[in-house]
C-alpha cells in the first residue's frame, strides 16, 4: 500500500503550468514580431507613396508655372505690337516658342478673340479646332467673378474622340491695367507624360484632377497605358494639392499597390509556418513525454515489484538458511560424538564414512552461513559490533587456524605484522571472516610457493577510497557504517592488510568479475563441489570490508600470483596513542 501511494505521488505531470505559459509567451512573441514587421512594411509603403506624390506635385507645379510664363510672355509681345482694335498678327517663329501648345489665341480685355494660331509643332496638331465662341468663353473665365480681377484661369475641356485637354488663359496688363488676354490649349498627354518618370520603377497610377474633373491618368510602367481596376484593389492612396495659375486647385492622386506585398505575404507565411512547425514539435514532444512518463511509471511499478520480490526472497532465504543451521549443527555434533567414541569405538571400516559425513556437513554449514550472511546484507540486517583490536595477535590467531590447511598443501606461510601498528576499531567477527576467505582462496589457487600476510600503516588514501562528491560525513568521530557512503576523508590514515600468494593469478579481464556474486575463475568441475565452491567468498568479503568502513583491492598478473589488500581505517584517537612508524 505504501508503494502504491509513493508511486501515485511521484507520477510525473505531462504539462506543467510553467511550460504552458512559456509556450504561450513564445507564440505571443512570434505573433508580435510578425505584426511589427508587417506594420513596418505598410508604413514604408505609405511614406514612399506620399513622397512620390510630393515629387509629382512639385514637377506638375513647375510645369504649369513654365507654361504660364510662356503664354504670358507671348501674349504681351503680340498685344503690345498690335494696333488697338485691330486683328493681332504674329509670325510663325513667335508662335513656335510655345511648342507644347495645340492652339494659341489672343483676345482683347473684354474677351473678344483677335487672333487664333495652331501650334507649329507637328505632334501638336489639333484633332478638332475650337470655334471662336468657345475660345471667347474660355477667355472670359479669366475676367469672371469674383470681381473680375483674376489674372489667369485653367481648366479641362473635351477634345476630339473623348480625350481630354487643358487650357490656360493669362491676363496681359500694362501699368496695372488689363490690355488683353492670351490663351493656349494643351493636350493632356503633353502635360502628364513627363510625370511618368516621377512615379518610380514600382507599379504606380497617377490621376490628375482639375476642379473635380479628371484631366488624365498616368499609367504604371510596363502596361502600355492599360489600367486594371482589380490590380489596385487594396492599394495605397496618397493625394497632394497643386495650386495652378489663377488659384485653381489641382490635385494629384497617387495609387500604389505596395511593392512590399509579396514580402508581407512571405513574412506572414514563414511566421505562421514557423508557429505551426513549433506547435507540431511541441505536440510531438508532449506525446513523447507522455509515452516516456507512462513507460517510467510502468518501470517504476516493475522496479517496486522486483524490489518487493527481492526483499521477500532475501527474507525467505534468511529464514530458510537459519532453519537449515539447526539440523546441520545436529549432524555435525553427532558426527563429532561418533568420531570421539561417545557411542562406542568405531570399527576401522566406519571411520572413513564418519569423516566424510563430518566434512560434508561442515562444508554444507559453511555454504549455509555464506548464504545467510548474503541474505542479511541484502536485507540490511547484518549488524556491526565494533571493538578495539590489536592487529598483530589477531592476525597470528587466524593464521594459526589456517596453518594446517597451508601445510597440507605443501606451502609456506609468511607473516609480517609489526607490533607498533595502531589499534583498529572494527568488528572482529567480520574481520576474521574476511581474512579466512582471503587466505583460503590464496591456499586454494596456489600449488606451490608461499602465502604471505603483511600489514603496514599508510598515510595516503588509495585512489579507490578517496572522497567523492557523493561522500557525506557527519560528526568528528569515526562514522558508523550506517553513515558511511563508501569514501573516507583525505586526511585519514589506513592500515593495509595484504594477503599475497604465488599462485595462478587472475587475468585483467576477470579482476572485476570475481567480486560479483556467484562468479568464479578457474572453478573445478560441478561434481567436485568441495573444491569448486560457490563464488560467494570474495563478494561477501568485499561487502563486509565496506560495512566496517574499508574496502578490498586487488593486484594480480596471470601466472604470477595475486595480492588482495584489505584497507582498514584508523581512528585519529588510536593514531595519537600509537608510536610513529615508517610506512
Amino acid at each position: 500500500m505504501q508503494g502504491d501511494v509513493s508511486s501515485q505521488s511521484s507520477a510525473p505531470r505531462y504539462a506543467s503550468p510553467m511550460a504552458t505559459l512559456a509556450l504561450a509567451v513564445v507564440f505571443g512573441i512570434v505573433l508580435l514580431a510578425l505584426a511589427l514587421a508587417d506594420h513596418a512594411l505598410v508604413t514604408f509603403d505609405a511614406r514612399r507613396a506620399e513622397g512620390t506624390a510630393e515629387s509629382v506635385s512639385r514637377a506638375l507645379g513647375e510645369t504649369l508655372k513654365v507654361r504660364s510664363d510662356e503664354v504670358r510672355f507671348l501674349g504681351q509681345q503680340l498685344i503690345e505690337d498690335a494696333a488697338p482694335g485691330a486683328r493681332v498678327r504674329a509670325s510663325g517663329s513667335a508662335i513656335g516658342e510655345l511648342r507644347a501648345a495645340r492652339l494659341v489665341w489672343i483676345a482683347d480685355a473684354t474677351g473678344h478673340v483677335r487672333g487664333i494660331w495652331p501650334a507649329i509643332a507637328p505632334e501638336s496638331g489639333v484633332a478638332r479646332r475650337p470655334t471662336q465662341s468657345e475660345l471667347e468663353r474660355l477667355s472670359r473665365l479669366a475676367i469672371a467673378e469674383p470681381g473680375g480681377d483674376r489674372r489667369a484661369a485653367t481648366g479641362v475641356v473635351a477634345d476630339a474622340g473623348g480625350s481630354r485637354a487643358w487650357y490656360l488663359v493669362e491676363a496681359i496688363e500694362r501699368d496695372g491695367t488689363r490690355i488683353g488676354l492670351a490663351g493656349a490649349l494643351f493636350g493632356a498627354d503633353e502635360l502628364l507624360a513627363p510625370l511618368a518618370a516621377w512615379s518610380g520603377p514600382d507599379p504606380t497610377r497617377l490621376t490628375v484632377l482639375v476642379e473635380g474633373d479628371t484631366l488624365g491618368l498616368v499609367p504604371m510602367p510596363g502596361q502600355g497605358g492599360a489600367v486594371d481596376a482589380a490590380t489596385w484593389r487594396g492599394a495605397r492612396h496618397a493625394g497632394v494639392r497643386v495650386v495652378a495659375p489663377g488659384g485653381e486647385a489641382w490635385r494629384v492622386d497617387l495609387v500604389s499597390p505596395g511593392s512590399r506585398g509579396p514580402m508581407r505575404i512571405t513574412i506572414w507565411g514563414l511566421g505562421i509556418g514557423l508557429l505551426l512547425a513549433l506547435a507540431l514539435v511541441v505536440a510531438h514532444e508532449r506525446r513523447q513525454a507522455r509515452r516516456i512518463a507512462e513507460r517510467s511509471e510502468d518501470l517504476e511499478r516493475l522496479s517496486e515489484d522486483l524490489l518487493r520480490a527481492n526483499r521477500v526472497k532475501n527474507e525467505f532465504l534468511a529464514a530458510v538458511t537459519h532453519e537449515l543451521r539447526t539440523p546441520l549443527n545436529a549432524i555435525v555434533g553427532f558426527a563429532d560424538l561418533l568420531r570421539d567414541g561417545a557411542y562406542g569405538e568405531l570399527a576401522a571400516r566406519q571411520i572413513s564414512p564418519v569423516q566424510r559425513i563430518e566434512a560434508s556437513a561442515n562444508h554444507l554449514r559453511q555454504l549455509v552461513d555464506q548464504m545467510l550472511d548474503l541474505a542479511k546484507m541484502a536485507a540490511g540486517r547484518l549488524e556491526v559490533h565494533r571493538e578495539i583490536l590489536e592487529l598483530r595477535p589477531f592476525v597470528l590467531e587466524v593464521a594459526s587456524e589456517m596453518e594446517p590447511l597451508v601445510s597440507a598443501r605443501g606451502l609456506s606461510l609468511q607473516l609480517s605484522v609489526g607490533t607498533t601498528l595502531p589499534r583498529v576499531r572494527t568488528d572482529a567477527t567480520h574481520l576474521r571472516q574476511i581474512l579466512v576467505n582471503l587466505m583460503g582462496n590464496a591456499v586454494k589457487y596456489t600449488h606451490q610457493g608461499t602465502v604471505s600476510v603483511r600489514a603496514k600503516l599508510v598515510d595516503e588514501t588509495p585512489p579507490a577510497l578517496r572522497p567523492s562528491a557523493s561522500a557525506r560525513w557527519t560528526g568528528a568521530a569515526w562514522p558508523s557504517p550506517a553513515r558511511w557512503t563508501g569514501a573516507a576523508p583525505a586526511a585519514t590514515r589506513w592500515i593495509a592488510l595484504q594477503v599475497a600468494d604465488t599462485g595462478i593469478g587472475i587475468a585483467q579481464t576477470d579482476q572485476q568479475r570475481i567480486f560479483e556474486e556467484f562468479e568464479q575463475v578457474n572453478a573445478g568441475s560441478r561434481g567436485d563441489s568441495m573444491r569448486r565452491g560457490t563464488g560467494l567468498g570474495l563478494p561477501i568479503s568485499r561487502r563486509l570490508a565496506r560495512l566496517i568502513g574499508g574496502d578490498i583491492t586487488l593486484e594480480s598478473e596471470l601466472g604470477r600470483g595475486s595480492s588482495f589488500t584489505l584497507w582498514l581505517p584508523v581512528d585519529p584517537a588510536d593514531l595519537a596513542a600509537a608510536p610513529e612508524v615508517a610506512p
Side-chain angles (χ1 to χ4, degrees), residues 538-555:
L538 286 177
I540 291 177
S541 297
R542 171 168 275 186
R543 285 196 178 190
L544 291 175
R546 292 175 175 176
L547 188 64
I548 62 177
D551 204 350
I552 294 178
T553 58
L554 168 63
E555 295 179 3

Side-chain angles (χ1 to χ4, degrees), residues 103-144:
L103 191 70
V104 177
W105 75 91
I106 297 295
D108 57 18
T110 61
H112 180 70
V113 176
R114 300 175 56 188
I116 303 174
W117 301 271
I120 296 177
E123 64 274 11
S124 301
V126 179
R128 184 185 69 84
R129 180 168 179 167
T131 64
Q132 182 173 343
S133 61
E134 291 175 340
L135 295 179
E136 289 178 351
R137 180 179 59 81
L138 296 178
S139 299
R140 292 189 181 94
L141 292 176
I143 56 176

Side-chain angles (χ1 to χ4, degrees), residues 23 27 273-285:
L23 183 62
F27 273 85
L274 177 63
L275 289 178
L276 292 177
L278 180 61
L280 292 176
V281 170
V282 170
H284 176 73
E285 291 298 327

Side-chain angles (χ1 to χ4, degrees), residues 411-414 438-439 441-443 446 449-454 497-503 554-555 560-565:
L411 305 175
S412 61
L413 179 62
Q414 295 182 355
L438 295 181
M439 294 180 68
N441 283 341
V443 173
T446 303
T450 304
V451 175
S452 303
V453 180
R454 45 184 178 262
L497 183 58
Q498 190 176 76
V499 177
D501 61 66
T502 58
L554 168 63
E555 295 179 3
R560 295 192 176 184
S562 304
S563 176
F564 290 87
T565 303

Side-chain angles (χ1 to χ4, degrees), residues 52-64:
T52 303
E54 290 286 348
S55 300
V56 171
S57 66
R58 285 195 299 269
L60 181 59
E62 293 176 358
T63 301
L64 292 176

